[in-house]
Amino acid sequence: MEISVQREGQFVRIKIYDNGVGIPEEKLHQLINEESTRIGFMNPLKKLKLIKNASLRLYSEEGKGTTIVVLLPKGGGV
């Protein structure tokens, strides 16, 4: 697993990458769907939505791993 944090203008970019088995494409959309019941993932995602101008991107390829990119405004923006 690799974690990096970088400044990008008025934002902080947090990137989390692992080279595990990846997530099948059909499951990937379920993870970010508001109706998802994935407790471990949805709680932070719901909190992230409370931060103005924050974003989350989730990329995954089976057999190659998963990357999560969180972009947060430097001032918090809540």
Side-chain angles (χ1 to χ4, degrees), residues 16 18-32 38 41 57-68:
I16 304 164
D18 77 46
N19 60 352
V21 297
I23 302 168
E25 189 172 337
E26 63 274 6
K27 299 281 186 185
L28 196 59
H29 298 288
Q30 292 174 2
L31 285 175
I32 58 175
R38 302 213 185 276
F41 188 73
R57 302 279 186 246
L58 184 60
Y59 308 95
S60 190
E61 188 173 342
E62 284 187 87
K64 293 191 176 183
T66 302
T67 300
I68 300 170

Side-chain angles (χ1 to χ4, degrees), residues 28-68:
L28 196 59
H29 298 288
Q30 292 174 2
L31 285 175
I32 58 175
N33 182 338
E34 286 198 40
E35 302 301 318
S36 176
T37 58
R38 302 213 185 276
I39 295 169
F41 188 73
M42 286 308 296
N43 192 29
L45 181 57
K46 286 181 180 181
K47 289 180 180 181
L48 189 64
K49 289 180 179 184
L50 296 175
I51 301 172
K52 185 178 177 183
N53 296 321
S55 68
L56 177 125
R57 302 279 186 246
L58 184 60
Y59 308 95
S60 190
E61 188 173 342
E62 284 187 87
K64 293 191 176 183
T66 302
T67 300
I68 300 170

